[in-house]
């Protein structure tokens, strides 16, 4: 493990349908129940929790002497599954806590922020509703944006955790929803800037768009951010693979302030897709792809259909 004690990892990970086994009547979670399509039971849930814990504990440990101090996560059903995750396997002895709010998503999946209490202090947190409509004018009940204001080693930072609307009904047909998500964040920043110093921002998530998509360009054109993930997408690399094509929907954007080196601040050092062999399919047609929990109805017993992404920040002591 690295001896870089002044380096800290900030990560994002889509946990791929991290549901409990209880049928919640208010959401479309029937597939992830013992009698459902996936035959999702306590044994499979326990295996998933331990595997997610293993993956999270190892993110960025080549660059830091500790597991991530901040991890944004997506596709978690509720606070119970997060609490189980933090008590599982390689995470149970780490001083983690989390911020989570239930969102109106029709499937019942949310975002959350896990943080190490020794290095990050919460000042306040809230959800930002994403108010968008479908083509027929009905509201699209999707994930809220999670906003957390805190102190990272005493330096104030503003963190936004996202899981933007999917492309299920077509990339172009749904693009307006993700552009609106970007505008929602920019609107919140304008609101916050009236009363707070918002120079240190971290925008992370599964954006369901690549770095060159219009929604991400909307964030970038504000002039507030740099996207260290921009150069990582190629025909052979990404954070997820769909029908043989790599995407980089998972990204972490940071404000320009992280390029300074003043004492008492954090400066950006590097960005990575975390894709060790144990998170990959190791043989066959899908060799090298993320080793997922399910492929359709078939239980594979893997981790997630996404690789985590992370950045390394150096604490300028």
């Amino acid at each position: 493990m690295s001896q870089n004690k002044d380096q800290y990892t900030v990560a994002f990970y889509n946990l791929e349908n991290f549901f409990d086994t209880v049928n919640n009547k208010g959401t479309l979670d029937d597939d992830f129940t013992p009698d459902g399509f996936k035959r999702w039971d306590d044994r499979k849930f326990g295996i998933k929790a331990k595997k997610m814990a293993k993956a999270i504990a190892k993110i960025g440990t080549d660059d830091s002497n500790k597991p991530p101090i901040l991890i944004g996560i997506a596709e978690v059903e509720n606070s119970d599954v997060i609490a189980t995750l933090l008590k599982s396997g390689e995470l149970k002895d780490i001083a983690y806590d989390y911020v989570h709010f239930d969102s109106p998503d029709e499937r019942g999946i949310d975002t959350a922020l896990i943080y190490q209490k020794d290095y990050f202090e919460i000042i306040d947190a809230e959800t930002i509703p994403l108010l968008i409509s479908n083509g027929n004018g009905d509201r699209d009940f999707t994930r809220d944006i999670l906003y957390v204001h805190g102190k990272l080693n005493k330096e104030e930072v503003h963190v936004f955790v996202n899981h933007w609307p999917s492309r299920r009904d077509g990339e172009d047909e749904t693009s307006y929803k993700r552009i609106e998500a970007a505008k929602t964040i920019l609107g919140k920043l304008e609101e916050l800037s009236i009363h707070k110093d918002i120079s240190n921002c971290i925008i992370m998530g599964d954006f369901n768009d690549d770095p060159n998509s219009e929604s991400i360009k909307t964030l970038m054109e504000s002039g507030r951010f740099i996207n260290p993930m921009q150069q990582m997408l190629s025909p052979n690399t990404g954070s997820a693979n769909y029908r043989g094509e790599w995407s980089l929907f998972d990204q972490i954007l940071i404000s320009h302030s992280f390029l300074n080196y003043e004492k008492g601040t954090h400066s950006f050092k590097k960005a990575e897709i975390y894709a060790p062999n144990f998170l990959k399919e190791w043989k066959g047609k899908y060799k090298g792809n993320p080793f997922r929990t399910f492929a359709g109805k078939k239980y594979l017993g893997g981790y997630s259909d996404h690789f985590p992404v992370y950045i390394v920040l150096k604490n300028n002591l």
Side-chain angles (χ1 to χ4, degrees):
M1 186 175 285
S2 169
Q3 296 304 308
N4 294 316
K5 294 181 180 179
D6 60 343
Q7 292 188 177
Y8 298 86
T9 302
V10 175
F12 175 80
Y13 199 7
N14 181 322
L15 303 188
E16 188 202 355
N17 295 320
F18 192 30
F19 284 89
D20 62 22
T21 62
V22 179
N23 189 356
N24 185 328
K25 301 299 183 186
T27 58
L28 303 177
D29 67 347
D30 297 25
D31 286 353
F32 288 90
T33 57
D35 297 325
F37 180 72
K38 308 274 191 181
R39 301 293 178 192
W40 188 241
D41 55 26
D42 290 340
R43 183 186 71 86
K44 291 174 182 173
F45 173 74
I47 291 170
K48 174 92 170 178
K50 283 185 178 177
K51 290 199 166 184
M52 294 289 93
K54 175 184 176 181
I56 288 171
K58 293 187 182 315
I59 296 171
T61 50
D62 287 344
D63 299 289
S64 175
N65 70 334
K66 61 189 75 65
I69 51 170
L70 295 176
I71 314 108
I73 54 175
E75 294 201 11
V76 290
E77 186 177 18
N78 50 45
S79 59
D80 290 342
V81 302
I82 305 169
T84 299
L85 171 67
L86 297 185
K87 294 174 186 172
S88 298
E90 297 183 31
L91 295 185
K92 65 177 182 287
D93 296 324
I94 303 171
Y96 275 131
D97 204 345
Y98 65 92
V99 182
H100 164 265
F101 298 94
D102 285 317
S103 77
D105 181 79
E106 61 183 9
R107 292 179 58 219
I109 55 173
D110 309 323
T111 60
L113 182 72
I114 298 170
Y115 62 95
Q116 285 203 47
K117 294 182 285 186
D118 294 340
Y119 304 101
F120 189 76
E121 173 193 348
I122 302 290
I123 297 174
D124 56 63
E126 63 179 285
T127 55
I128 306 166
L130 182 51
L131 302 175
I132 51 175
S133 300
N134 288 312
N136 58 9
D138 293 335
R139 182 178 169 187
D140 182 355
F141 288 97
T142 187
R143 281 78 59 178
D144 293 333
I145 297 167
L146 174 62
Y147 164 63
V148 180
H149 178 202
K151 289 185 179 180
L152 177 60
N153 295 314
K154 300 183 179 178
E155 184 180 25
E156 288 194 31
V157 296
H158 302 267
V159 183
F160 294 82
V161 185
N162 301 266
H163 186 191
W164 288 359
S166 78
R167 297 181 170 198
R168 185 171 56 246
D169 296 324
E171 176 185 349
D172 293 339
E173 290 80 1
T174 59
S175 177
Y176 73 93
K177 298 181 180 182
R178 295 181 293 280
I179 293 171
E180 187 59 35
K183 290 178 178 177
T184 299
I185 290 176
L186 295 176
K188 182 64 176 179
L189 288 172
E190 287 299 316
E191 175 192 324
L192 290 170
S193 67
I194 298 171
H195 302 291
K196 297 179 181 178
D197 177 3
I198 57 164
S199 54
N200 298 325
C201 289
I202 301 172
I203 317 289
M204 62 168 74
D206 175 353
F207 298 103
N208 273 302
D209 268 339
D210 285 318
N212 54 0
S213 298
E214 201 61 39
S215 60
I216 303 299
K217 286 180 180 177
T218 299
L219 287 176
M220 298 303 294
E221 286 168 0
S222 72
R224 293 182 182 271
F225 309 110
I226 61 169
N227 187 353
M229 306 284 166
Q230 181 81 42
Q231 307 304 320
M232 294 186 184
L233 178 63
S234 79
N236 302 309
T237 58
S239 60
N241 191 295
Y242 181 65
R243 295 181 177 174
E245 284 195 22
W246 286 100
S247 62
L248 190 58
F249 293 171
D250 308 279
Q251 301 168 62
I252 303 174
L253 284 64
I254 57 175
S255 54
H256 292 273
S257 59
F258 288 104
L259 298 180
N260 66 31
Y261 296 92
E262 295 174 16
K263 189 172 182 178
T265 68
H266 294 79
S267 53
F268 170 75
K269 190 157 187 191
K270 66 184 291 193
E272 293 284 350
I273 301 167
Y274 183 63
N277 286 333
F278 76 88
L279 288 183
K280 296 178 181 178
E281 292 274 5
W282 58 82
K283 62 182 179 179
K285 178 181 177 183
Y286 301 106
K287 182 178 179 181
N289 285 8
F291 179 26
R292 57 194 303 173
T293 306
F294 279 95
K297 188 177 182 179
K298 185 180 179 183
Y299 176 65
L300 303 179
Y303 292 77
S304 171
D305 54 356
H306 291 243
F307 292 134
V309 295
Y310 71 93
I311 62 170
V312 179
L313 299 177
K314 185 178 186 298
N315 187 11
N316 300 305
L317 300 169

